[in-house]
Every structure is written in structure tokens, then in C-alpha cells.
Amino acid sequence: MIWRRDMVRFWRQRSRLLGSVARALVWLFALGFGLRGSLGSISGFSYAQFVFPGVIGMTIIFSSLQSAISIVYDREFGFLKEVQVAPTPRSTLVIGKCLGGASSATAQSAIILLFAPFASVTLTPLNVLGALVAMFVTALAISALGVVIAMWITDFENFGTIQNFITLPLYMFSGAIFPTKQVPAWLHTILLINPLTYGVNAIRAMLLNYDLSSVPFNLLVLLIFMVIMLSIAIVMTRKEI
């Protein structure tokens, strides 16, 4: 029911969907087409092709973290308290919110795939299916992170500040807009501990048929990160009065 509630809310908030698509298109055209002449090809792909999976990753992280803000909203208006006193495990709240955030983020990201021809990315039923799986797993991991942040934040105003403080570094240091090979050691370390790095790598591999052998590892890291975040969030819900 928590998942269904989030999906109904997502369906009714059409401006949220339009804003997400518009933001992704601005980044795609500004980066992909604005810089492709300056940067040339990357591993045999044009910059527009290379950055297209990164734009999808941006849509996922913004949408997934944004969906968690409803926890702060529900806490302030008492709905969260009602759910917590219900005769169900508190883990259902966390799992429902993660599934809701991941579903809405995947739906918004799937729309971005319609613009793949503009970036000269060829879509087939197989790579679209693989990309959707990678997108959903990535969205699950980021949604779980968002739930942990939302459970920690106590008021609505602070969540926006914390979200922006986390969203931009995660996106910028994920390899979404630049190749991760031959980067400085300190930056390589940041890339390794950033969960979005593995999501962008998996999506890029599926869409561009690039380094497909790394997909299972990337998805495994995301699933492990999701389980850790879910466990932390569940513990936090049980400590709430």
C-alpha cells in the first residue's frame, strides 16, 4: 500500500514528470551536443553517446532522492506516526518507500530512452530490457539512501539543503559526464565509493554494449549497498518514538 500510494502521488504530479524530463534534455543537449566538438570520441563513442547514460543516471538520482522527501512531509503531518503504530512490521514502510521511489525513478528514466536517437544511441529490445533492469536496481539503491537521509532529517526545510549537498557530488563524481579511466588516485577512490558510479557503468554497458562483463559486478555492488541502506533505515524507524 505504501508503494501504491507513492505511485498514485507520482501519477497525479504531472509537473514533477515534466520537470524531470526537461532537466534531462537540457543536460543532454548542453553537454552532449555542446561539448562533443571539443572532446571528440571516448572509447570509440561520440560524447553525446557517452553522456546519454549519464543523463539517465542524473534522472534516477534526482527522482529517487526526491521521492524520499515525502517521509519528512508525512512525519510533519502525522501520517508517518499512523503507519508506525499499525500492526505491521516497520520494515514494510522502508521497503514500500524504496519500491515506490525506484518505480517512479525508473518510469521517468524510461521516458529519456525515447530521445536516444538524438544521441545516436541504437535501441534494441535486448539492450532496452537490460538497461531497464540496471536502472531499476540503481534506483533501488539510491532510494534506500534517500530513505536513510529522510529518516535522519527532522524538518522539511533541511531536507532540500541536504539533498542538494549530496545529489550534485554523487552525480559529478560518478563518471556520468567524464570517463573514469586515467583519473587521479584521489578521484578514483571517490568513484569507487560512489554507488551511482556502478549504476551509470551498468546502464552505459547495456545501452552502448560497452564492457558488458562488468555488469554483474556493478549490479551486485548496488544490491549490497541497497541492503545496507535498508538495514540502517529499518533500525532508524524502530528507534523512532
Side-chain angles (χ1 to χ4, degrees):
M1 293 304 297
I2 295 293
W3 170 84
R4 180 181 178 184
R5 177 174 179 264
D6 279 2
M7 296 309 297
V8 170
R9 176 182 294 176
F10 167 70
W11 177 251
R12 290 178 177 176
Q13 295 176 345
R14 305 295 175 83
S15 59
R16 174 181 164 190
L17 177 61
L18 293 176
S20 175
V21 174
R23 178 177 57 231
L25 292 180
V26 168
W27 278 78
L28 176 61
F29 284 95
L31 291 177
F33 298 100
L35 297 178
R36 63 180 178 181
S38 302
L39 298 179
S41 63
I42 300 175
S43 301
F45 301 100
S46 68
Y47 186 69
Q49 292 174 318
F50 177 83
V51 82
F52 183 74
V55 172
I56 293 178
M58 179 194 67
T59 304
I60 290 175
I61 188 171
F62 273 94
S63 303
S64 299
L65 291 180
Q66 183 67 27
S67 65
I69 197 173
S70 60
I71 293 181
V72 185
Y73 185 87
D74 291 339
R75 181 189 288 113
E76 289 196 356
F77 286 87
F79 178 79
L80 184 63
K81 193 75 65 178
E82 296 176 2
V83 174
Q84 290 177 327
V85 300
T88 56
R90 292 195 175 185
S91 58
T92 57
L93 168 64
V94 176
I95 296 174
K97 293 301 297 183
C98 288
L99 289 175
S103 298
S104 61
T106 303
Q108 294 176 63
S109 302
I111 296 177
I112 308 302
L113 290 175
L114 298 176
F115 300 93
F118 292 97
S120 300
V121 175
T122 303
L123 298 182
T124 65
L126 186 60
N127 72 355
V128 168
L129 179 61
L132 288 174
V133 173
M135 288 154 55
F136 184 73
V137 175
T138 304
L140 274 176
I142 302 301
S143 295
L145 173 62
V147 171
V148 171
I149 297 173
M151 295 301 300
W152 176 55
I153 299 298
T154 57
D155 58 88
F156 187 82
E157 289 77 11
N158 285 339
F159 185 85
T161 303
I162 297 298
Q163 182 193 26
N164 291 330
F165 178 76
I166 293 176
T167 300
L168 286 179
L170 284 179
Y171 177 63
M172 292 296 181
F173 297 108
S174 65
I177 58 178
F178 60 85
T180 58
K181 295 181 179 179
Q182 297 180 346
V183 297
W186 64 268
L187 181 54
H188 183 68
T189 302
I190 295 177
L191 292 170
L192 288 178
I193 62 177
N194 184 356
L196 188 61
T197 300
Y198 302 94
V200 170
N201 288 342
I203 297 170
R204 181 173 287 133
M206 298 307 305
L207 288 179
L208 302 182
N209 194 26
Y210 173 73
D211 197 14
L212 285 173
S213 61
S214 66
V215 173
F217 173 75
N218 290 323
L219 296 183
L220 178 61
V221 172
L222 288 170
L223 290 174
I224 293 175
F225 179 82
M226 178 198 66
V227 171
I228 294 174
M229 291 297 104
L230 284 178
S231 302
I232 295 174
I234 291 173
V235 171
M236 295 176 72
T237 57
R238 291 173 178 172
K239 289 184 176 180
E240 283 208 3
I241 300 176

